[in-house]
Amino acid sequence: MSRILLRRVAGGVLLFLALSLSPAVAVAGFLAAASVTASVPVLVVIGLVCAASAGGLLGRAAFALFGLDRRPALRASALLTVGLTVAVAVLAAVTVLHPMPTTTSAPAPPGVRFWDLPTGSRIAYVHAPATGKARPTPVIFLHGGPGTPTEGVPTGGRELAADGFDVYSYDQLGAGRSTRLRDVTGYTVARQVADLEAIRRTLGADRIILVGQSWGGSLTAQYLAAHGEHVAKAVFTSPGALWGRQYPGSRAGEPWNRLSPVQKARLDRLNSEPRIITASLLLQINPGAAHALVGDLEADHWMHEVALQGKDSTSCESAPPAKAHDNPQGFYSNQMTVRDFERLPDPRPRLRTLRVPALIMRGACDFIKPAVTAEYQHTLAGSELVTVEGAGHSISGEQPGRYTALLRAFLLDQPLAAGTG
């Protein structure tokens, strides 16, 4: 093969690299710049400059190998650089920079009120007031997620109100109708615990009763470790991991195993959205940049759509579809609180010193591993673990009668209801 032909082959390879690598170099520059700035316009400019530089350098070398004189080679590389930069800009505009759907904020339903806490959180809540002879210890329900609020008074709440308990359920920071933080690094377990302690003080209660569902169980344990003297009783319903470092990610259980083909396809499309992939990468580098790129309305809507695909995948196979509600999800509360939870020190030594009556409920079909639930019983002295047949992760949704009977019996110091498994 002649030397001229070899040069042209090498030039062709360089030209191909210029065309194919420029978008990748733009992405690398975009992400690298996020370590020093959260400004999306600055990140975009740096990404385009990186794409132009890579394309220009490779193009200039390619045209030189093609045998072009210096000036024609410079003109050709300049045209290539401009073309590649425009192409990368257009590609970014229709993918990473193209806004995703958002949820229109609707007025809060009747009965939703707000606490303006000294922590700076504005917390949405509902209250079922005690009837008859009121008891001094309020019941507070803690929803799961993090960032997946409930709507209205939870199952069993009105029955407990009829038993004399003041019942409260609230949207945790960053979820539902509660405060969204400008600085998403503020979503920590400590902040959630501080909010709960501020709620206790706002209610003027020396002690409270906590009922935690899923992540709400994990949060209940964290509050116990910090303020155990202010907890009269605790109920853990299908609780998540007691210690985040022990079961990071999905090691506590995989909730996505029973999706239909249609749901799986929809979930795959949602997870492959370039904008959410970019935000997820930015969260590892600079959470502020992720939030600047994809705001709360977009991210929360995306999380809501994901939740809709999986809302029935954690139930027993024979369970009817669960009813969805429109109280907004909290994407950044979820992502940042989970990350923080998995970095916390082990709470079990402190929890083993407490003597707080505790009921642990586990659905027989729960995707959470039995060992995760059993950890609560092994750690909390005098606690009782009950397995509820015919229920998955949402015992209150699949077996509301049994759930309510267990809840009332435990809080009223009665024998646990028969027939609960």
Side-chain angles (χ1 to χ4, degrees):
M1 186 180 292
S2 68
R3 182 176 298 178
I4 293 176
L5 183 57
L6 285 173
R7 287 169 60 89
R8 289 180 177 176
V9 169
V13 170
L14 288 179
L15 191 58
F16 173 78
L17 290 175
L19 295 171
S20 58
L21 289 182
S22 290
V25 172
V27 170
F30 181 94
L31 295 176
S35 63
V36 295
T37 180
S39 172
V40 174
V42 172
L43 298 179
V44 170
V45 169
I46 291 175
L48 292 177
V49 168
C50 289
S53 299
L57 289 172
L58 290 171
R60 184 175 177 181
F63 293 127
L65 288 171
F66 286 148
L68 295 181
D69 292 335
R70 184 173 180 273
R71 286 189 177 182
L74 288 174
R75 285 196 297 268
S77 64
L79 289 173
L80 177 66
T81 299
V82 171
L84 283 173
T85 304
V86 170
V88 170
V90 170
L91 181 63
V94 299
T95 55
V96 173
L97 302 179
H98 183 68
M100 298 185 297
T102 61
T103 301
T104 303
S105 298
V112 175
R113 306 175 188 177
F114 292 88
W115 286 308
D116 289 306
L117 302 179
T119 58
S121 301
R122 180 171 170 80
I123 297 296
Y125 73 97
V126 293
H127 175 211
T131 59
K133 184 179 180 180
R135 300 173 186 270
T137 310
V139 176
I140 302 176
F141 284 81
L142 303 178
H143 66 70
T148 55
T150 56
E151 184 75 290
V153 177
T155 299
R158 299 202 183 279
E159 289 82 354
L160 292 177
D163 291 327
F165 294 99
D166 269 306
V167 175
Y168 297 87
S169 177
Y170 71 94
D171 299 343
Q172 295 161 27
L173 178 70
R177 300 176 182 90
S178 293
T179 301
R180 297 299 190 276
L181 297 178
R182 291 185 179 180
D183 179 5
V184 297
T185 62
Y187 292 122
T188 63
V189 177
R191 177 64 178 268
Q192 300 287 5
V193 169
D195 280 349
L196 181 51
E197 172 63 3
I199 289 169
R200 182 192 67 80
R201 292 174 179 269
T202 298
L203 296 178
D206 179 59
R207 296 199 299 167
I208 54 180
I209 296 169
L210 297 178
V211 182
Q213 159 68 26
S214 191
W215 151 254
S218 303
L219 178 56
T220 295
Q222 290 292 320
Y223 183 84
L224 272 170
H227 304 286
E229 69 278 9
H230 292 301
V231 181
K233 291 185 177 182
V235 179
F236 300 88
T237 308
S238 304
L242 184 60
W243 183 29
R245 266 193 230 175
Q246 186 180 22
Y247 293 102
S250 61
R251 292 186 187 177
E254 177 53 67
W256 301 100
N257 287 335
R258 293 205 300 269
L259 297 181
S260 70
V262 173
Q263 291 170 328
K264 181 66 166 61
R266 172 64 175 155
L267 182 63
D268 288 343
R269 288 195 298 273
L270 288 166
N271 286 333
S272 61
E273 166 64 50
R275 195 163 165 85
I276 206 70
I277 292 174
T278 305
S280 297
L281 292 171
L282 288 173
L283 277 172
Q284 311 305 314
I285 302 168
N286 182 349
H291 192 226
L293 176 68
V294 181
D296 290 302
L297 291 178
E298 284 184 69
D300 292 355
H301 178 82
W302 177 88
M303 186 173 170
H304 179 72
E305 291 297 312
V306 169
L308 287 178
Q309 307 315 306
K311 69 181 180 66
D312 300 319
S313 67
T314 63
S315 305
C316 294
E317 292 185 3
S318 59
K323 184 179 179 181
H325 61 75
D326 295 323
N327 199 11
Q329 312 283 328
F331 174 80
Y332 288 104
S333 175
N334 174 274
Q335 296 292 300
M336 300 305 295
T337 306
V338 167
R339 179 193 295 189
D340 181 62
F341 181 57
E342 293 176 357
R343 295 172 176 172
L344 295 180
D346 190 349
R348 293 173 295 181
R350 163 63 177 154
L351 293 174
R352 290 189 183 106
T353 68
L354 301 178
R355 294 298 181 268
V356 176
L359 171 64
I360 307 149
M361 296 190 222
R362 170 183 169 77
C365 305
D366 194 0
F367 72 89
I368 297 290
K369 296 175 181 177
V372 175
T373 313
E375 190 75 49
Y376 285 81
Q377 185 182 29
H378 298 155
T379 302
L380 299 168
S383 61
E384 185 163 2
L385 172 61
V386 176
T387 299
V388 179
E389 299 296 333
H393 195 55
S394 176
I395 302 172
S396 63
E398 295 176 67
Q399 296 294 336
R402 297 180 186 180
Y403 171 82
T404 301
L406 282 167
L407 202 55
R408 292 185 64 221
F410 176 68
L411 297 189
L412 296 173
D413 295 319
Q414 298 173 355
L416 295 184
T420 56

